[in-house]
Amino acid sequence: MPSRPPLARRTRSGLWESWEQVVAPDPGAVALIEAESGEMWSRARLHSAATALVAGPLAPASGQQVGFSLPNGHEWMALFLGLQALGAAAVPLDPSMTPEQQDQVATALGLRFVWREGTLHELNPSARPARSMRLGKLTSGTTGAPRMIRCTAEHLLADGRNIIASMGLRSDDRNLALIPLGHSYGLGNLVAPLLIQGSAVVTARAFVPRQAVEWIAAHEVTVLPGVPSILRLLASIPGREPFAPLRLVISAGARLPTETAAAFQQRAGLPIHNFYGSSETGGICYDRSGVLSAGGDAIGSALEGVKVSLSERGRVRVSSRAVAAGRSGTFTLPDYGRINARGDLEITGRAGRVANLGGRNLHPRDLEIRLSRLPGVTDAWVDVRSESGRDYLIAAAETTRSEAELVAEFSRHVAAWQMPRSWLVAPQLPRTSRGKLDAAALRARLQLRITRPADAPR
C-alpha cells in the first residue's frame, strides 16, 4: 500500500484513518468503477491518487475549508480523500452553478479555497481554518440561499454506521451512484460505506435510464440509492427481465408515489425502501420491510443509533451522533409528524409561512400532501404569494393528466377558499441536482403565468 502522506501524520482526520484501515487488508479490491468507461480503481490506486494530490497541488489546503465541484468519479473521490488526509474541510458545491456563482457562494460561506481544473484558487486569505470540521454540507432548504452544515468526521462516520446497520449494506456490495456524491444522501449512502467498510461505488456522470439498467448488469451493482424521479423512469423501461444482480433499492429526497413503487416492483421484481433524512441530521428513518411504499403515509422507523421523537408542537425531533446541527446531538426539523402504532413515522406537514386567506390560516404543505395523493400525480408543490397585502396560493403538479381535469378533481377535495389561484401542470417539473423540485424555478414559471396568462398573445 502507498505510504501515508507526510502531512497526514499530523492532521489526518478520522475519515482518512478509516479509509486507511479499509485499504490495508486488501489493497487490490475494487473501490470505484466509472460506469461509462468501465475503468476500475482499486483501493490502492485510489489511495495513491489521493496521496499524489496531497504531496502536490492540494498541499496548501492543509487545515483549510475548500470548495469544489466535480462530477461523480475517481477525481471526486480522490480529492475528497486528499482533503481528509490534510485535515481540511471538503465542501462540495452545486455543479449546476457557473464558476462565478460557485466563487460567490464559496466567498459568502467563508471558504479559503476553491478547487477548479486541478488547481487551488485562493478566495479569502484570512478565512478561518477548518479546525474539527471535515465536511461542509450545503443545503438551501426552502429559501434557495445556500447555507452550510459544518460536520466533523464523527458525524459522517456515525451516519454511515447507522445506515450500514439499518439497511444491511455489505462490504462486498456495489452501490450505483446516480445521485451526486456530494449531497447528504450520497455522502451517507455512497461515500461513508466505502470509507467505513470498502463497499465499492459505481459512479455515473449522467443518468440515462437504459444505460443505468445496463450498468447494473455489467458492473454487478447490488444496491441502488435513488430518488422517485429516477425510479419512475427506470420502471418505465420496456421488458420483463429483472435488474439482476440488484438486491436493494432505496428512495429518498422526495415523496415516493405509490404508483411509482408499484410500477417499479412490477418491472424490476424488487420493492422500494423509503428512506428519510436531512442534511442537519443524516439518516433518520428507513422502511426495512419495503412494504410501506405500497400505500399509506408512513416512511419507516428510526435507523439504528437514531432516536426519533416529537416536540410539544408535533415537529420531528432527531437525536444521534450523526446530528451536526442543534444542541447536544439533537435537532428539531421543520417537518410535522406523528408516530403510528407500529412505530413508523408519518410526515403530516412542514413548519414555515402560513397563508392568511380571507382571515383563515392554511399551511401550503397541507394542500401539497392532498394534491400529491391524487391519482396520476407523481409530485406536488404549493407555495404562498402576496399581492397588495393579501396572500394567495400557487401550485404545481407533476402528472400526465390535463390541467383542467386535475384542477377540477382537486376542487372536489378542498374548500373553495383553499384553491390555488395559479397552476403549473406538466409531466415533468424542474428539479435540482438533488432530485428535489426546484422551488425557485417553479416560482419563476408561475410568476410568468401570472403576468402573462396562458391564453395571452406570445
Side-chain angles (χ1 to χ4, degrees):
M1 187 182 77
S3 61
R4 178 182 296 162
L7 286 172
R9 297 181 191 278
R10 300 190 304 272
T11 60
R12 66 184 185 277
S13 74
L15 294 170
W16 179 256
E17 291 177 321
S18 181
W19 167 244
E20 285 195 311
Q21 291 169 9
V22 164
V23 176
D26 193 357
V30 174
L32 186 146
I33 303 173
E34 296 192 325
E36 290 86 352
S37 66
E39 184 175 4
M40 292 190 179
W41 287 72
S42 68
R43 296 173 185 174
R45 186 184 179 195
L46 192 58
H47 189 283
S48 294
T51 56
L53 290 173
V54 168
L58 200 58
S62 178
Q64 303 298 322
Q65 300 179 54
V66 182
F68 66 97
S69 176
L70 290 169
N72 287 357
H74 78 274
E75 293 175 305
W76 192 103
M77 199 67 72
L79 181 65
F80 183 85
L81 288 169
L83 290 170
Q84 300 312 310
L86 289 166
V91 184
L93 302 173
D94 190 336
S96 67
M97 295 188 294
T98 65
E100 292 75 16
Q101 290 172 327
Q102 291 174 5
D103 286 352
Q104 291 173 359
V105 169
T107 300
L109 294 173
L111 308 187
R112 174 77 176 270
F113 297 103
V114 164
W115 174 268
R116 186 176 297 120
E117 297 179 353
T119 303
L120 278 175
H121 298 266
E122 189 170 39
L123 301 177
N124 183 9
S126 61
R128 68 175 181 174
R131 297 189 177 90
S132 64
M133 175 183 166
R134 293 294 173 264
L135 168 67
K137 293 182 183 179
L138 296 194
T139 178
S140 59
T142 57
T143 66
R147 60 187 181 87
M148 185 164 64
I149 310 299
R150 299 176 179 274
C151 302
T152 65
E154 179 53 32
H155 291 138
L156 183 57
L157 290 171
D159 188 32
R161 295 185 191 110
N162 295 342
I163 288 169
I164 289 168
S166 303
M167 298 184 184
L169 301 185
R170 306 188 301 244
S171 60
D172 61 350
D173 272 324
R174 290 187 177 181
N175 287 286
L176 181 55
L178 298 178
I179 57 176
L181 294 172
H183 294 165
S184 185
Y185 185 12
L187 289 161
N189 280 72
L190 300 168
V191 178
L194 172 63
L195 272 58
I196 293 171
Q197 63 178 18
S199 303
V201 180
V202 179
T203 60
R205 289 173 175 257
F207 168 64
V208 179
R210 172 57 67 181
Q211 280 188 321
V213 175
E214 294 171 355
W215 292 334
I216 290 169
H219 304 308
E220 301 179 330
V221 171
T222 56
V223 180
L224 172 59
V227 294
S229 57
I230 287 177
L231 300 176
R232 183 175 72 252
L233 291 172
L234 290 176
S236 68
I237 294 176
R240 295 183 178 179
E241 69 281 3
F243 295 164
L246 198 63
R247 69 172 187 86
L248 177 62
V249 181
I250 305 156
S251 177
R255 174 187 170 272
L256 176 65
T258 301
E259 294 174 358
T260 298
F264 188 92
Q265 182 152 11
Q266 183 176 13
R267 174 62 185 83
L270 289 169
I272 297 176
H273 297 256
N274 272 314
F275 176 46
Y276 170 63
S278 74
S279 297
E280 294 86 353
T281 66
I284 301 172
C285 290
Y286 177 63
D287 173 17
R288 293 163 175 80
S289 66
V291 302
L292 297 180
S293 59
D297 300 317
I299 54 176
S301 56
L303 295 181
E304 298 294 324
V306 177
K307 179 182 178 181
V308 177
S309 58
L310 301 177
S311 71
E312 292 181 359
R313 297 185 178 182
R315 287 169 57 176
V316 179
R317 179 180 290 154
V318 182
S319 300
S320 85
R321 296 179 68 180
V323 172
R327 295 182 178 180
S328 303
T330 298
F331 182 76
T332 301
L333 292 162
D335 293 333
Y336 288 100
R338 60 173 171 259
I339 298 174
N340 64 24
R342 295 179 52 184
D344 295 318
L345 177 66
E346 300 176 4
I347 301 300
T348 59
R350 188 174 178 87
R353 184 179 175 188
V354 175
N356 186 315
L357 306 173
R360 288 172 286 195
N361 291 334
L362 178 69
H363 198 288
R365 177 64 176 167
D366 296 336
L367 284 189
E368 202 172 272
I369 292 173
R370 289 193 234 177
L371 180 57
S372 67
R373 290 173 178 164
L374 294 184
V377 175
T378 54
D379 216 337
W381 178 85
V382 180
D383 197 24
V384 188
R385 291 188 65 87
S386 295
E387 185 178 285
S388 302
R390 299 183 64 182
D391 291 345
Y392 65 93
L393 299 172
I394 56 177
E398 190 172 74
T399 179
T400 55
R401 299 175 64 181
S402 71
E403 180 175 329
E405 177 190 9
L406 187 75
V407 173
E409 180 174 352
F410 192 57
S411 69
R412 295 194 291 271
H413 291 269
V414 300
W417 65 272
Q418 297 175 320
M419 282 294 291
R421 180 190 299 184
S422 182
W423 288 81
L424 173 62
V425 178
Q428 290 188 359
L429 296 177
R431 294 183 178 276
T432 68
S433 57
R434 290 174 166 83
K436 297 182 179 182
L437 292 179
D438 189 332
L442 289 170
R443 290 187 187 102
R445 288 176 63 173
L446 280 159
Q447 179 61 28
L448 183 62
R449 280 187 155 223
I450 294 168
T451 57
R452 188 177 65 187
D455 58 353
R458 297 178 184 270

